[in-house]
Amino acid sequence: MHHKSLLAILISGTLLVGCSSDDDKSTEVTQPDSGTPTTPVSEYNHQIAGLAVYQGALSSATVCADLNKNVICDSDEPFATTDVDGNYQLEWTSEVETPDYYLVANWQAATATQAIQARSLALKVKNPANRAAPKAIVDDAGQGTLIASPLYNGAINNLTHIKQSRVIEMMNQNLSDSDISQLSTELDALLAILYQLDADTLYSVSAETSATANFMRIDYAIAYLQQVIATQIPNIIAAEKILAATYAELWQILSDSGLSIEAFFSDDAFTLVANILFSDSAIALGFTELPIDSRILSQDDWDLVLGNIIHESGFANTLSLTLSSDLSAFSMQNADNTKVLTWISALAGQALAFEAPLDEDNDELTECWHTTDKRWYTEDNGPVTEPSITGNTYNTVYAGTNVPITIDINKITHANTSDFWQSVLNTSPEMLKLDTLIWPDTLYSLTVTQAEDVMCRVVEDYETYALSSFVTEETLSTTMVAEALFGFYFPLDIIIDEEAQTIALLDSDGNIEQRYQMTKSTSPSDQLLIKVAEIVEGTAQEYVYPDYFLFVDQQLMKVELNEKMQTSASNNVSVTFDNNTGFTQTLYQHLYDQVNPLVF
């Protein structure tokens, strides 16, 4: 104020000098009375008290009034230290009657309540490369930072941090005051729903509430999701909207996993499941047209994969591997889908490889049992269920039935350096030399799941075996089944164990030639089903194809039972790929050369 008055005097003096004349020389300039007191600058006292919490009370945290709003506690800014319960009080004076500032709390997570959980919020998201994810509340060094507006009675917590961070984003985007007000109101409503808190006292979070399991899992989910969608979705409150839309389903997946929230969001498989859920929601909300995770299949990916797996001759451009300790196998079709190359090797050193033409002239018509309609349908005359795609999963039904079939696709990028694909190559038999090939950069691993058993039969040409007219489901014995199926051996060249339900066939010298196990169960049609499987050694038993017979009208009717299953990613691996570069031909010839198959 004094500088401004002096400047005015100097300007007046200059003007007087510039306009002087002989008549003016005697003019006196009145000097200010040095004894007159000037008006002092007003100083205002400021005080704010509040509570700082993060997964419990923040003890010994530094809280400052961030007067220059750089989200840093500078050395010349007023500060205080929280007590053991997280309470603090700031006091300072300034020449500004109503200062505009932020509240900032800093602490070292190693000394904070539940420091392990806090530190794990510094998430690492495997998503698009070179992403600029927002800062975590607790960084990798364990330094925690929360911000707040002083409008909420000094409260500093996760919710004030989210709110103030979003408001800063809005201001940085030069949004109008009305837009900021509207988005802020919408954010308040979303946070109240997500955290299940009263909207009127939303930002007054107690230390006990901030440490509850529900509160912390929302913290983790928002922190994780915010990093996933960073730079991809411009909508400022997209994370809260997406999470609100997926809330119930996400918690169900989390509950079913049996994992803690930290372990869940640190597991690649579960983060992919979560990201698919988030991505579907983001697309449905109109935030994006593309998947938010590079592991999620795009439309181009689906066009390629479906072109290979929905094929009249079976899966095209696909290699199927079976890898176990005592049995290895592979099968694949050539690029023309005219031949199939198959190889099976057992632990005992027995191996079989053959190349055979695909049976395109097979006009055998089959029909399958529909459990709801309780009748047999062929593929063409049954109810039509349109397939669908959710995330990385293709959903359909077994032809002629209502049994769900899902094919989950795992997109493997940079296959030649991928940990997953390298583990498959390391497990595969050395003689196949799969690790010498340069694989396509992108592979698609297929996991097929069939939810229930499916029973089928040849239309009007199924085999039947007559039984005695007095036999019932309760009295049907192993001996009766053996006599019907192995009449050639009955009764001299056969040994039947009714208690163990086994059948042994003898050769001309009386030695056991083959052994079979009989098992009774209930068929999909709720009738008695007889399973007859040859008994072999070790885990090779899993790959035996048994015969099935339905007991109906005092006879055994041969049927085919496709048991419910899920291909195991560790033992059974099927991968499909783009054949633009002719890799199918290269791989087929490579495998052919290694196993030297019999040609049929």
Side-chain angles (χ1 to χ4, degrees):
M1 297 291 290
H2 293 295
H3 292 297
K4 184 176 181 181
S5 299
L6 181 60
L7 180 61
I9 293 170
L10 290 174
I11 292 174
S12 299
T14 302
L15 291 174
L16 287 171
V17 171
C19 299
S20 66
S21 64
D22 291 340
D23 295 334
D24 300 323
K25 289 180 181 179
S26 61
T27 303
E28 295 184 1
V29 177
T30 303
Q31 299 295 328
D33 183 358
S34 59
T36 304
T38 59
T39 303
V41 176
S42 297
E43 286 195 345
Y44 300 93
N45 295 319
H46 306 290
Q47 183 183 87
I48 185 166
L51 176 67
V53 300
Y54 179 77
Q55 299 184 357
L58 279 180
S59 174
S60 301
T62 298
V63 176
C64 74
D66 181 18
L67 300 175
N68 61 8
K69 299 198 292 186
N70 64 352
V71 197
I72 296 174
C73 288
D74 296 313
S75 59
D76 60 345
E77 292 177 323
F79 71 93
T81 302
T82 59
D83 65 17
V84 68
D85 296 319
N87 297 302
Y88 71 90
Q89 180 168 310
L90 286 172
E91 295 180 353
W92 76 99
T93 61
S94 75
E95 299 177 6
V96 180
E97 183 176 5
T98 309
D100 184 15
Y101 62 97
Y102 301 153
L103 289 170
V104 176
N106 290 317
W107 76 99
Q108 188 62 35
T111 62
T113 305
Q114 302 191 37
I116 295 175
Q117 291 91 329
R119 195 175 296 117
S120 63
L121 269 177
L123 300 168
K124 301 297 183 185
V125 181
K126 291 187 176 180
N127 203 36
N130 301 318
R131 295 176 62 249
K135 291 182 180 179
I137 290 175
V138 179
D139 64 21
D140 291 339
Q143 180 67 40
T145 301
L146 286 172
I147 62 176
S149 165
L151 297 175
Y152 304 115
N153 299 317
I156 307 174
N157 51 59
N158 285 65
L159 294 181
T160 67
H161 185 86
I162 293 172
K163 177 65 176 287
Q164 192 60 34
S165 297
R166 301 295 187 271
V167 170
I168 291 173
E169 288 182 69
M170 296 175 200
M171 292 189 295
N172 289 340
Q173 292 186 18
N174 296 317
L175 297 184
S176 66
D177 290 344
S178 61
D179 286 342
I180 292 176
S181 176
Q182 179 181 343
L183 285 171
S184 296
T185 301
E186 193 172 356
L187 178 60
D188 292 344
L190 288 167
L191 292 177
I193 292 170
L194 289 172
Y195 284 89
Q196 300 176 21
L197 297 173
D198 187 340
D200 294 333
T201 58
L202 178 62
Y203 296 101
S204 300
V205 178
S206 68
E208 293 75 19
T209 298
S210 73
T212 61
N214 180 67
F215 198 94
M216 288 194 293
R217 73 180 184 180
I218 297 291
D219 288 346
Y220 273 83
I222 289 180
Y224 172 83
L225 183 52
Q226 185 62 27
Q227 292 192 51
V228 171
I229 65 174
T231 74
Q232 301 184 72
I233 297 177
N235 188 293
I236 292 176
I237 57 176
E240 289 76 20
K241 287 186 174 181
I242 291 170
L243 192 57
T246 58
Y247 185 91
E249 192 171 353
L250 177 64
W251 299 148
Q252 187 61 56
I253 295 171
L254 174 63
S255 176
D256 292 344
S257 75
L259 298 175
S260 66
I261 191 74
E262 306 100 302
F264 183 87
F265 281 123
S266 299
D267 184 283
D268 282 349
F270 285 111
T271 56
L272 176 59
V273 172
N275 285 3
I276 288 173
L277 185 65
F278 295 150
S279 188
D280 288 345
S281 176
I283 292 171
L285 289 169
F287 292 149
T288 179
E289 295 180 356
L290 299 174
I292 63 173
D293 187 325
S294 60
R295 296 172 296 171
I296 302 175
L297 272 63
S298 66
Q299 185 60 56
D300 289 342
D301 293 319
W302 275 116
D303 289 344
L304 190 154
V305 171
L306 293 180
N308 287 343
I309 68 177
I310 302 178
H311 199 279
E312 293 181 357
S313 302
F315 286 8
N317 303 313
T318 302
L319 172 66
S320 295
L321 286 165
T322 297
L323 305 169
S324 67
S325 58
D326 54 2
L327 183 70
S328 297
F330 77 73
S331 67
M332 75 171 299
Q333 296 173 197
N334 65 1
D336 298 327
N337 298 304
T338 57
K339 297 178 181 179
V340 61
L341 181 63
T342 304
W343 173 79
I344 302 173
S345 177
L347 183 63
Q350 299 176 335
L352 173 65
F354 58 89
E355 181 188 57
L358 291 172
D359 190 4
E360 296 181 354
D361 297 328
N362 182 14
D363 56 359
E364 187 176 72
L365 187 61
T366 60
E367 56 188 2
C368 300
W369 183 259
H370 195 287
T371 56
T372 301
D373 292 356
K374 299 189 181 304
R375 57 161 292 180
W376 300 92
Y377 283 122
T378 66
E379 182 177 353
D380 297 327
N381 68 5
V384 176
T385 301
E386 292 296 331
S388 64
I389 292 173
T390 53
N392 281 13
T393 302
Y394 179 75
N395 309 286
T396 185
V397 297
Y398 199 106
T401 78
N402 58 339
V403 174
I405 299 286
T406 58
I407 303 178
D408 295 300
I409 317 296
N410 177 27
K411 185 178 177 182
I412 306 166
T413 56
H414 310 297
N416 292 284
T417 57
S418 159
D419 291 342
F420 170 77
W421 190 239
Q422 290 305 309
S423 69
V424 171
L425 298 181
N426 292 336
T427 310
S428 64
E430 185 177 351
M431 69 164 292
L432 298 181
K433 299 180 180 178
L434 294 179
D435 57 350
T436 64
L437 292 165
I438 303 298
W439 293 84
D441 188 63
T442 301
L443 298 174
Y444 303 90
S445 176
L446 315 173
T447 299
V448 182
T449 302
Q450 179 182 309
E452 300 294 340
D453 294 346
V454 171
M455 182 174 66
C456 303
R457 68 182 183 183
V458 179
V459 176
E460 298 179 355
D461 195 25
Y462 45 83
E463 299 175 23
T464 58
Y465 300 85
L467 298 169
S468 299
S469 58
F470 61 83
V471 68
T472 64
E473 289 187 1
E474 291 75 20
T475 61
L476 181 64
S477 65
T478 306
T479 300
M480 294 176 185
V481 172
E483 184 177 6
L485 300 182
F486 304 107
F488 178 80
Y489 293 89
F490 203 89
L492 300 178
D493 297 326
I494 195 167
I495 299 175
I496 300 169
D497 186 334
E498 283 289 352
E499 184 176 355
Q501 293 186 306
T502 59
I503 302 166
L505 306 182
L506 308 179
D507 61 18
S508 56
D509 296 325
N511 299 316
I512 294 179
E513 187 177 73
Q514 290 173 299
R515 295 179 68 242
Y516 292 89
Q517 179 73 57
M518 188 190 89
T519 308
K520 291 182 178 180
S521 63
T522 302
S523 74
S525 61
D526 293 327
Q527 296 168 295
L528 178 62
L529 186 69
I530 304 297
K531 174 184 176 181
V532 180
E534 184 178 0
I535 301 173
V536 298
E537 297 294 329
T539 57
Q541 187 70 50
E542 300 177 23
Y543 303 97
V544 169
Y545 292 97
D547 290 322
Y548 292 91
F549 303 90
L550 198 63
F551 177 70
V552 57
D553 298 332
Q554 276 67 53
Q555 64 180 0
L556 298 177
M557 180 176 70
K558 189 170 185 178
V559 295
E560 174 187 326
L561 188 76
N562 298 296
E563 295 182 279
K564 66 178 181 180
M565 60 84 186
Q566 181 181 58
T567 57
S568 168
S570 58
N571 295 330
N572 297 282
V573 180
S574 293
V575 290
T576 192
F577 45 83
D578 189 347
N579 192 40
N580 281 340
T581 60
F583 185 73
T584 297
Q585 294 88 323
T586 299
L587 178 58
Y588 192 93
Q589 186 62 52
H590 172 87
L591 293 171
Y592 189 101
D593 293 340
Q594 306 314 310
V595 301
N596 190 24
L598 299 172
V599 178
F600 294 95

